[in-house]
Every structure is written in C-alpha cells, then in structure tokens.
Amino acid sequence: MLCKRIIPCLDVKDGRVVKGTNFVNLIDAGSPVELADRYSKEGADELVFLDITASAEKRKTLVGLVKDVAKAIRIPFTVGGGISELHDIELLLKAGADKISLNSSIVKNPELITKASRQFGSQAVVAAIDVKFNGSDYKVYIKGGREKTDLIAMEWCRRVTELGAGEILLTSMDRDGTKEGYDLKFLKELSSVVSVPVIASGGAGKKEDFLRAFKEADVDACLAASLFHFNILPIKELKNYLKENGIAVRI
Amino acid sequence: MVALIDYGSGNVASVANALAELKEDFRITCNEVEICKADKIIFPGVGEASFAIRQLHMLNLFSVLRIVKKPVLGICLGLQLMADHSTEGNVACLGIFPVSVEKFDPGKSKVPHMGWNDVDIKYSSKLFSEIKNAERFYFANSYYIPLNGCTTAITDNNGIPFSSAMEKENFYGVQFHPEKSGDAGLKLLKNFIELC
C-alpha cells in the first residue's frame, strides 16, 4: 500500500537554512546538508527546499546546494522558489533534485508547466499554490503571498494538472503559522477534484492535524516547517502515532 | 567497472551519488565501446518514453542494449524502455521483456503513483538478497508494466498490481528508484553489482 508522506520544508537563503516567521526575523539554522541528513535519518519521506534568496547569484548557489544535498541523502527532494526558466529547471534536476516546484512563474506563464512536464516528466513538476479565503472564494496569491491574483483557487488547481503538473503543494495562507490545523475543507474538495497527489501545507500544530488531513481530507502528504525545525514534534513520534491510528506510513 | 548510461535522462546524478556512496568503480557514459567493456550496466531513466527511445537511437545505443550479454539493471523509465512497447508516446521499445507499458487510470488511483510503497518479492532473486519482503521503496511513475512471466516482485497501486521488479536472463529491472530509497535501495544496487 502506498504510504502517506511526511515532508519537512526548509527555507534557504544564500545557501543557508533560515528559520523565521513570514520571511522576517530570520535566524541562521545551519547548513542545508546537515539538516537534510538529520531529517532523512529521523524518517522524513521527502524534503522540500524553498529558496528565498533575492540576489543575482541565486541560481549559482541553488545549483551548488542541490548538488551537495543530493550527495548527502538517499531520499527524494524538491526545490522551489523563484524558478521561472526551463533552463534553470534542467540545471536543478541534473544537479540531483527530483522535483521542481513552480509557483508565481506558472501564473504568469502557464505554458512553463507543459514544457517542463513534457521534457522531464510530470512527476518532476510540482505546482505550489498559495490560497486565501476572502469570505466567499478561495483566491490564488503569488510572490510569497504578497500579490493577489484573480484566479479562483480550485479552478487553478484543476488547470495546472491539465497542463501537466504531477503534484500540487497547497498552502493555506489563512492557516500558515497559526498551528490551528490544515484547511481540511479545501483540501478534501481538492483531493476529490484532481487525480494527482496533493501535499497539504499551512497550519500543522500537533499530531492530530496530520491524522485529520490524511483521514478526513484524503491528502497524500503533509508538509510542515517550524514543528520539525524546533523539534516540537519529532518525525518518529508523529509517524508512530499515525501508524497506531491506521495510517500507512514508512517507519 | 559499472557503466552508468547517460542518454539525457534525469536521474543520472542521483544514481552516480549512490554508487559513489557504495564506493563502486563506475563511469558515466553514452559510448558503445565503453558500455561493452563494462562488467555491469545500469540503465537509469526519468522522463518520457518516446523522447528517451529517440535519444537511444541518436546515440546509437538501441541495438547494443538489446544484444549485450553483461548484466543490465533498468531503473524506472529504464525498465519500461526494456519492454516491447510503451503507450507513452506510442513507441516501440527495446523488446527485451515481451510486454507493453500501460498508463495508470486516473479514475482508479492517483497519477503519478508517487511515494514509498511495499515491494512483494514473488521469486527469490539475487537482486533482493538480504532485503526483507514487503520492504518499502520510492516510486514516481505514471506508467506501469502489468504482471507477466518476467515479474519477480509486485507492488499494488490502489488495487492495481504491477511489476515492481522483473528479470530475464542477464536483464534486470526495477520500477522504483533504488538510488532514492534509503538503505534498502543502496543494498539492492550493491546486490546487482556484486551478485548478479
């Protein structure tokens, strides 16, 4: 039986892992290689690196980071953050990343999904979608949540899979950082609408939140950052809990 | 020496990293002569089948892979390219395994089939030596090979059983990614190089 996945997310700036809230108060949290190795040993099923570097050197440091991480760990990992060129996708995949996540760039240029999935396979293309509820609709936001678009979230999710995305990483901006649990309502509908795997993101605060996302919203994977970084919830403890509650996980 | 075939497919770096960790002597190559001289051949692959077959033709590797007598390990798309035919791009493949590659039905399961899944060993094989039955390996595939006479291990995707490992003479193939499957994956690669 296909296991449900637990995915720690690491924010990276200038080749170092940073911790903070909403891109401010960033503290250096160490080398990506050391943390990747730690999470891999603790039982993470995959890792996501989100690059928040703004400098012109971005691509160079990111490719170097991917090479180093790929040498160190034997589990799959995704790289995202400001990737907008097919050539950059190729460089990162060849450096050893398994998947690329695309966010703002595909809103402006949806064809990028199709081109990337044709060339590298849809399993390598993750559509990262940030959504926020405005009282009547869920809307898509880009640029790290700073810019609202007119896209209706569920329609955009459906569209990216039609274009060739092989997975959706869905972040609820309303829940992000709240520790109130994942947005089960949206995720449940999403899981029934699309046939690609869905990764839930935003809001995890305790073990029960993961269980509910798997059981009630039928997601394929759960992503979290601070819970794992600050060791509030060790991955082993989480997975044992999920297993005891009837979820297929890799232990 | 292990020849790791580079024909423009995605995961060569990942397989190379795993072989480096195992301290194996390997060479990344697309040269027919080097491939023939190698003791073992690893044929990786990520991407689209008809594009990959075109690459094999362009690099003049299509025939050599069919007739080579050294042990060959196909990984993921590499395994699928060893079949007769793939519905992905409707392309004639190497014709080593007499079976056709099919697409998972999005109505019945999530596509791609992605993540860690059990591998049930049906026939004992050197490839799985000292690897426990139902060990979990990492998969990322939208297409699959149905069960057939060459199937040695089976994995289930939401009620659809498929070949997660196959063997025929000197040809071996796995649908999962041993290079991304932790210690069990490394063990499988080591088994291929040392025992097969």
Side-chain angles (χ1 to χ4, degrees):
Chain A
M1 192 175 180
L2 189 61
C3 295
K4 299 290 188 182
R5 288 170 281 154
I6 298 296
I7 308 176
C9 178
L10 300 105
D11 287 340
V12 173
K13 192 170 188 291
D14 301 318
R16 300 283 291 177
V17 176
V18 289
K19 293 171 180 174
T21 34
N22 303 322
F23 299 107
V24 293
N25 303 323
L26 298 176
I27 1 162
D28 188 297
S31 102
V33 171
E34 279 166 26
L35 280 165
D37 188 47
R38 190 192 112 193
Y39 283 131
S40 163
K41 287 189 173 120
E42 286 176 2
D45 296 304
E46 276 180 50
L47 298 174
V48 168
F49 290 91
L50 184 62
D51 186 45
I52 56 171
T53 311
S55 74
E57 291 293 296
K58 183 186 175 84
R59 187 171 77 194
K60 217 168 108 191
T61 53
L62 193 56
V63 169
L65 178 147
V66 166
K67 279 188 181 163
D68 292 343
V69 169
K71 277 190 189 121
I73 60 168
R74 301 277 83 82
I75 59 169
F77 66 99
T78 302
V79 180
I83 300 164
S84 58
E85 304 284 334
L86 201 61
H87 180 62
D88 289 346
I89 296 173
E90 184 174 4
L91 283 178
L92 293 164
L93 291 175
K94 285 203 167 151
D98 299 277
K99 311 181 214 178
I100 297 302
S101 91
L102 302 170
N103 191 331
S104 308
S105 60
I106 52 175
V107 169
K108 292 191 172 135
N109 177 19
E111 254 199 4
L112 183 63
I113 306 175
T114 312
K115 283 184 181 159
S117 64
R118 279 212 186 120
Q119 192 167 341
F120 310 109
S122 63
Q123 85 294 328
V125 182
V126 182
I129 302 177
D130 298 342
V131 307
K132 194 172 179 177
F133 189 63
N134 68 4
S136 57
D137 264 328
Y138 282 88
K139 289 288 173 109
V140 174
Y141 281 68
I142 55 170
K143 296 188 177 167
R146 291 188 302 276
E147 192 177 313
K148 190 185 165 198
T149 73
D150 292 330
L151 294 168
I152 295 180
M154 200 60 75
E155 283 174 17
W156 178 236
C157 290
R158 198 192 312 240
R159 178 106 179 93
V160 296
T161 65
E162 286 164 2
L163 290 167
E167 199 165 33
I168 291 177
L169 168 52
L170 195 283
T171 301
S172 159
M173 292 169 57
D174 304 300
R175 298 298 177 99
D176 207 20
T178 64
K179 300 202 188 304
E180 286 174 359
Y182 296 104
D183 188 333
L184 299 178
K185 182 173 166 282
F186 188 89
L187 288 165
K188 188 178 180 184
E189 191 184 339
L190 178 60
S191 296
S192 68
V193 164
V194 298
S195 62
V196 301
V198 171
I199 305 170
S201 160
K206 53 190 180 306
K207 291 182 278 196
E208 292 78 6
D209 296 334
F210 294 82
L211 181 63
R212 292 188 68 190
F214 290 132
K215 270 203 161 157
E216 294 173 31
D218 198 28
V219 301
D220 301 276
C222 281
L223 179 137
S226 57
L227 265 191
F228 300 138
H229 296 332
F230 300 108
N231 226 355
I232 300 164
L233 179 57
I235 295 171
K236 278 206 171 83
E237 183 187 328
L238 170 62
K239 286 188 143 184
N240 283 331
Y241 167 81
L242 291 170
K243 192 183 173 196
E244 282 161 20
N245 283 278
I247 304 293
V249 284
R250 165 184 162 258
I251 290 188
Chain B
M1 189 266 287
V2 177
L4 174 54
I5 303 182
D6 181 7
Y7 58 103
S9 84
N11 66 339
V12 173
S14 302
V15 179
N17 285 331
L19 295 177
E21 186 169 336
L22 290 169
K23 299 192 168 50
E24 296 292 349
D25 175 25
F26 70 96
R27 197 165 299 165
I28 298 172
T29 179
C30 60
N31 179 297
E32 194 179 344
V33 178
E34 265 189 341
I35 291 168
C36 290
K37 276 200 273 185
D39 305 308
K40 300 280 155 72
I41 297 160
I42 296 181
F43 180 40
V46 167
E48 201 267 339
S50 64
F51 175 79
I53 289 290
R54 268 204 306 279
Q55 291 290 113
L56 291 180
H57 281 299
M58 271 169 52
L59 293 164
N60 213 15
L61 295 177
F62 192 87
S63 300
V64 70
L65 284 171
R66 286 160 59 97
I67 56 168
V68 72
K69 295 292 173 217
K70 304 282 177 57
V72 179
L73 175 67
I75 297 176
C76 194
L77 180 65
L79 162 69
Q80 296 185 358
L81 297 181
M82 289 154 88
D84 268 344
H85 173 267
S86 176
T87 50
E88 184 177 28
N90 191 25
V91 65
C93 299
L94 293 167
I96 294 159
F97 297 121
V99 61
S100 183
V101 180
E102 307 291 335
K103 187 169 190 190
F104 283 121
D105 178 355
K108 291 182 180 159
S109 63
K110 297 279 180 94
V111 183
H113 166 251
M114 188 167 326
W116 300 77
N117 205 339
D118 311 348
V119 170
D120 289 316
I121 302 163
K122 286 295 157 197
Y123 297 99
S124 64
S125 157
K126 290 174 187 168
L127 203 55
F128 287 94
S129 175
E130 292 174 33
I131 292 173
K132 72 172 168 44
N133 192 29
E135 180 63 82
R136 279 159 176 160
F137 290 87
Y138 182 79
F139 291 81
N141 56 310
S142 300
Y143 290 78
Y144 70 99
I145 299 185
L147 305 186
N148 63 85
C150 302
T151 303
T152 53
I154 300 174
T155 292
D156 179 279
N157 180 19
N158 205 29
I160 302 144
F162 66 92
S163 305
S164 44
M166 288 168 60
E167 275 182 44
K168 184 188 167 189
E169 296 153 10
N170 57 316
F171 294 99
Y172 299 77
V174 290
Q175 182 59 66
F176 49 83
H177 287 281
E179 75 283 7
K180 288 287 171 178
S181 294
D183 292 339
L186 287 177
K187 176 68 182 155
L188 185 133
L189 289 171
K190 199 173 157 68
N191 284 346
F192 171 69
I193 294 165
E194 292 180 0
L195 305 177
C196 290

